[in-house]
Amino acid sequence: MERDKGAVLATERYGSSESWKYVLKDGVMERRRNGGDGHPVGTSVVGVFKSVFLPQGYPESVSGDYLQYQFWDTLQAFSSSLSGTLATQASLRGVGVGNQEATVAAATVTWLLKDGTGMLGRILFAWQKGTKLDSEAKKWRLFADILNDIAMFVEILAPYFPAFFTLIVCTAGIFKSIVGVAGGATRAALTVHQARRDNMADISAKDGSQETLVNLAGLLVSLILIPLVTDNPVLTLCLFFLFTVLHLFANYKAVRSVVMETFNEARLSIVLQQYLKDKRILSPPEANQKEPVLFEFGQTVPIKLGVRLQEIVQSPEDLHMALKENSMSYLLGVRNGCVCVCLGPEASVSDEIRAMCQAVLLSNMLNSSNSKEAASAALKQQSYWEMVHESHKLMDTIFSPLFKGAEAAGWDMKRTLIDWDEWRVEWKTKSS
């Protein structure tokens, strides 16, 4: 009890892990740790582990979903490492390792062709899909891991088709190059989400340390597996499928655990649909739980954002119809079965959100017309403009409470992840 006496002059803490106080006792200032005399977190084994593998300031410096995501991400990386070992062994056997009849030149040519096609695939994929990797990070993250498993499965089968070995490994190389682009880019997008103190570099570096530790563990396990699976294709395939199932399950749980507070097309559509249904605003965790993480094809009328003016209007009459009952800095129209949105240069983030909401409403109206094909064939352009005008009136009624409600529910309304193209159009109204 004697130790607790004295006036407290100051207190300090290191994140949320430990706190100290400075006490004046007998004219001397002493520094004491709150909560007992245990080892400080920074010097204990657990403390050292945290400082090596977790970002500084954890958990305050990262998003709330960080630990859950990293757990599943670590598990998927471990299983992927083991699957990769089996695929690498198959590739080496296919190029002639252990075969006295194989030549170094033939193996080298095969490897160069594999790398070359992979480089081309990387460039083409980044060109075609680079802008989608931010707005649909979850989908592309899961897609990358599924494609990676397919590539490794193809590599394992390649040695059993020697006549087509080069073609097969080149195809696998293209798949893996796409995986590299999609996986790396979506990892960067998720790091932006997790960083809460502008500490992206620290989070990325610690993620690399975690992955290195996992790969080291995978390497040790692989040293045990390789003697067992050599010249045993049945066991190789069985283990590969086991690791693949674990890998895909962990990846699914990982992307499902991510809770993003910014709107993309899917999350905004989910919140809007719920609001139209019962006037309730979904919170970020609720909307993220409903967000699809697999690609869906042909279920809704497609929406094109940031298009050229000619994709909406073909004549002065069309422009007049597009401006009718519309005072916003965007234009909407329906062309070739697609909802198109033309954005003005002065459009704000709020305008972008409103334009996306209205495009979703218009898409729903078209979907309700039996089917997309029937609507495209039967409805005349005049009917389309009537739908556009109706959507303007509905947005005038619901957007303000929707926007304020989303802000109150925890959504970040200062920026979005909506995938707009770069076209910006200035148009003239009658008054001007």
Side-chain angles (χ1 to χ4, degrees), residues 91 110-123 125 147-148 150-155 158 165-181:
S91 295
T110 299
W111 213 261
L112 290 176
L113 288 174
K114 175 177 177 290
D115 288 346
T117 52
M119 293 174 188
L120 291 176
R122 188 178 299 115
I123 294 172
F125 179 76
L147 191 61
N148 188 49
I150 294 174
M152 289 189 290
F153 180 63
V154 168
E155 286 181 334
F165 180 80
T166 300
L167 176 62
I168 292 174
V169 295
C170 286
T171 302
I174 293 174
F175 289 171
K176 286 194 170 184
S177 68
I178 294 174
V179 170
V181 175

Side-chain angles (χ1 to χ4, degrees), residues 236-257:
T236 298
L237 287 174
C238 289
L239 288 175
F240 175 78
F241 282 119
L242 175 64
F243 297 145
T244 298
V245 170
L246 178 61
H247 179 240
L248 294 179
F249 174 76
N251 268 295
Y252 178 81
K253 296 290 288 185
V255 296
R256 271 285 173 226
S257 68

Side-chain angles (χ1 to χ4, degrees), residues 3 9 21-26 28-32:
R3 180 174 174 80
L9 300 178
K21 61 185 177 182
Y22 291 86
V23 179
L24 181 63
K25 181 181 179 184
D26 298 331
V28 179
M29 187 171 68
E30 297 181 0
R31 184 173 184 262
R32 301 176 185 173

Side-chain angles (χ1 to χ4, degrees), residues 127-362:
W127 170 45
Q128 289 293 321
K129 298 297 182 181
T131 59
K132 297 289 185 183
L133 301 179
D134 281 304
S135 60
E136 298 180 334
K138 295 182 186 179
K139 289 182 179 180
W140 285 107
R141 181 73 177 176
L142 188 57
F143 169 83
D145 288 297
I146 293 174
L147 191 61
N148 188 49
D149 289 332
I150 294 174
M152 289 189 290
F153 180 63
V154 168
E155 286 181 334
I156 289 177
L157 293 182
Y160 302 103
F161 302 92
F164 302 99
F165 180 80
T166 300
L167 176 62
I168 292 174
V169 295
C170 286
T171 302
I174 293 174
F175 289 171
K176 286 194 170 184
S177 68
I178 294 174
V179 170
V181 175
T186 53
R187 179 61 212 155
L190 293 175
T191 301
V192 172
H193 157 69
Q194 292 171 339
R196 295 305 159 97
R197 292 183 181 174
D198 293 326
N199 55 341
M200 287 176 53
D202 185 29
I203 291 177
S204 181
K206 296 302 169 58
D207 182 67
S209 297
Q210 295 168 20
E211 188 170 348
T212 301
L213 180 65
V214 170
N215 288 335
L216 179 60
L219 176 64
L220 296 176
V221 176
S222 297
L223 292 176
I224 301 174
L225 287 180
I226 290 301
L228 300 177
V229 301
T230 302
D231 299 325
N232 192 337
V234 175
L235 182 59
T236 298
L237 287 174
C238 289
L239 288 175
F240 175 78
F241 282 119
L242 175 64
F243 297 145
T244 298
V245 170
L246 178 61
H247 179 240
L248 294 179
F249 174 76
N251 268 295
Y252 178 81
K253 296 290 288 185
V255 296
R256 271 285 173 226
S257 68
V258 175
V259 179
M260 290 189 169
E261 298 89 359
T262 48
F263 280 130
N264 64 357
E265 290 93 328
R267 291 189 288 273
L268 182 55
S269 177
I270 290 169
V271 171
L272 176 63
Q273 304 282 10
Q274 187 67 43
Y275 182 77
L276 292 173
K277 182 179 179 181
D278 57 13
K279 301 299 180 182
R280 185 168 68 93
I281 304 291
L282 294 178
S283 65
E286 291 173 322
N288 277 266
Q289 197 60 36
K290 293 185 176 183
E291 181 184 4
V293 294
L294 294 172
F295 288 104
E296 301 169 326
F297 300 97
Q299 294 189 1
T300 60
V301 173
I303 298 174
K304 296 182 179 179
L305 303 174
V307 301
R308 294 171 294 180
L309 182 62
Q310 69 180 26
E311 294 191 44
I312 294 179
V313 302
Q314 302 292 319
S315 66
E317 291 74 19
D318 283 343
L319 182 58
H320 170 71
M321 295 299 291
L323 292 171
K324 183 179 178 182
E325 300 180 17
N326 178 21
S327 60
M328 304 305 300
S329 56
Y330 60 84
L331 302 177
L332 276 91
V334 180
R335 185 69 57 181
N336 298 325
C338 296
V339 176
C340 300
V341 184
C342 190
L343 200 63
E346 73 283 1
S348 63
V349 173
S350 174
D351 293 331
E352 293 180 2
I353 294 175
R354 174 171 173 145
M356 183 64 209
C357 288
Q358 192 168 341
V360 172
L361 288 177
L362 199 52

Side-chain angles (χ1 to χ4, degrees), residues 10 13 100 175 229 275 322 377 414 432:
R13 64 185 180 90
Q100 295 181 352
F175 289 171
V229 301
Y275 182 77
K414 297 179 181 178
S432 62

